[in-house]
Amino acid sequence: MEQTNATFQRGFVLLAFSSFGELQLLLFPLFLSLYLVTLTSNVFIIIVIRLDSHLHTPMYLFLSFLAFSETCYTLGIIPRMLSGLVRGGQGISYVGCAVQMFFSASWACSNCFLLAAMGFDRYVAICAPLHYANRMNLTLCAQLVGTSFLSGYLFGLGMTLVIFHLPFCSSHEIQHFFCDTPPVLSLACGDTGLSELGILILSLLVLLLSFCLISTSYTYILAAILRISSTEGRKKAFSTCASHLTVVIVHYGCASFMYLRPKASYSLERDQLIAVTYTVVTPLLNPIIYSLRNRAVQTALRNAFQGGLLGKG
């Protein structure tokens, strides 16, 4: 209890990439550039979908909320990481660390359920196109979005409580650039077996539940596509899912590697580099993938740029 009280009073120190030495100064402009592009791209996606009436459909509604979730996720992590690259080890209070873990876990879990909702949307669009407008109505879309965020918050709260009910040892240095579950758990004293099991169960519930929903949707989608007689028709049907499927593979690949493994396999330095993938790269890939592979988004972006240029003219 004394160790926990001491940790509560002095908090933690995020060492970020201190082991990289002078290389940190080279990482700063790289990560700053990626962050600015990520932030601008996601915000622009939200604005374009909001302003272009052609994109006022369920698929783009979900995409705009995914971009919003990714924006909030990066805002809670990357600015502090950039500050740590410049200043070195950076202090964070006990409560601040818990809050950061809660929101980062919540947004990450919400993304999983939003991707599942987007998979269901594609299932209805391809397997029941004549009933799409009636089934994917505004009420259902709002319920799916609300459930995704509520579920994310509940799972995020559960993960945070599982970690922060533990006593922490005298060491308060987190070998990471944000309060993620593996590096914070590594500072806990005593037997952490039950907490590790709790984190594993919660992670499995989030990833497997959402992934099973996505897999079920795509099983029906694949069956429907195979029933299409023309090759051109199959390509057109599959192209409507390609962007979503690409994002799912990237998102679940990183998340599964990070959270569905035992504590003994953690390598803090390696995990920092992997964490960069899902905190910096993946949020950047989402708008890029949807912009490059989706003609409707391309057209909306082109119109937005042209409208901006004409407005200035």
Side-chain angles (χ1 to χ4, degrees):
M1 183 65 69
E2 292 180 0
Q3 292 170 327
T4 301
N5 289 337
T7 302
F8 182 84
Q9 292 173 2
R10 70 182 177 183
F12 300 97
V13 176
L14 294 169
L15 296 181
F17 298 93
S18 57
S19 61
F20 286 66
E22 294 182 358
L23 185 60
Q24 291 183 88
L25 297 178
L26 298 177
L27 292 176
F28 176 79
L30 173 62
F31 289 159
L32 176 61
S33 301
L34 290 174
Y35 175 59
L36 291 177
V37 174
T38 300
L39 185 63
T40 303
S41 300
N42 279 296
V43 170
F44 203 67
I45 286 286
I46 295 171
I47 294 174
V48 167
I49 292 175
R50 173 67 178 173
L51 296 180
D52 194 321
S53 59
H54 296 95
L55 300 181
H56 291 176
T57 63
M59 181 174 73
Y60 298 109
L61 173 68
F62 293 131
L63 176 58
S64 66
F65 277 105
L66 180 64
F68 170 75
S69 180
E70 293 283 23
T71 300
C72 295
Y73 179 71
T74 55
L75 279 172
I77 297 175
I78 300 182
R80 182 177 286 274
M81 178 188 74
L82 293 172
S83 177
L85 285 172
V86 175
R87 300 180 181 179
Q90 194 174 33
I92 183 171
S93 68
Y94 181 91
V95 174
C97 187
V99 169
Q100 186 184 52
M101 180 181 290
F102 165 70
F103 280 109
S104 61
S106 297
W107 294 118
C109 294
S110 297
N111 288 348
C112 291
F113 292 116
L114 281 173
L115 288 172
M118 295 170 76
F120 177 74
D121 172 75
R122 292 300 82 205
Y123 154 73
V124 178
I126 293 175
C127 298
L130 298 179
H131 303 284
Y132 180 75
N134 290 329
R135 292 185 180 180
M136 296 304 298
N137 53 60
L138 184 60
T139 301
L140 179 59
C141 291
Q143 290 173 345
L144 290 173
V145 170
T147 301
S148 297
F149 283 117
L150 178 60
S151 301
Y153 294 149
L154 291 176
F155 277 106
L157 179 61
M159 291 180 180
T160 305
L161 292 176
V162 166
I163 296 292
F164 280 88
H165 88 282
L166 293 169
F168 290 93
C169 302
S170 57
S171 174
H172 62 290
E173 295 181 340
I174 300 176
Q175 298 284 342
H176 209 32
F177 55 86
F178 77 104
C179 291
D180 201 5
T181 51
V184 176
L185 182 60
S186 68
L187 299 182
C189 294
D191 184 9
T192 60
L194 287 177
S195 295
E196 290 178 50
L197 180 62
I199 291 295
L200 180 62
I201 290 173
L202 289 172
S203 300
L204 279 171
L205 283 173
V206 173
L207 293 173
L208 291 184
L209 177 60
S210 57
F211 188 74
C212 285
L213 292 172
I214 293 172
S215 299
T216 301
S217 296
Y218 273 99
T219 299
Y220 284 103
I221 288 171
L222 181 60
I225 291 176
L226 292 177
R227 287 196 296 268
I228 300 174
S229 57
S230 67
T231 304
E232 187 64 28
R234 291 181 181 179
K235 288 182 179 179
K236 184 178 180 181
F238 183 76
S239 66
T240 64
C241 306
S243 299
H244 176 254
L245 196 56
T246 304
V247 171
V248 166
I249 292 172
V250 173
H251 181 86
Y252 281 88
C254 294
S256 298
F257 182 82
M258 282 300 297
Y259 299 107
L260 300 184
R261 59 199 175 104
K263 181 182 176 181
S265 66
Y266 293 164
S267 172
L268 296 178
E269 290 187 0
R270 181 193 62 193
D271 289 353
Q272 282 189 78
L273 296 177
I274 297 171
V276 169
T277 303
Y278 63 82
T279 56
V280 180
V281 179
T282 301
L284 173 61
L285 287 178
N286 290 347
I288 290 178
I289 290 170
Y290 276 97
S291 298
L292 292 178
R293 298 193 60 89
N294 192 293
R295 291 182 179 179
V297 175
Q298 291 176 8
T299 302
L301 290 172
R302 194 181 305 115
N303 292 339
F305 279 117
Q306 292 175 351
L309 291 173
L310 291 174
K312 291 180 180 180

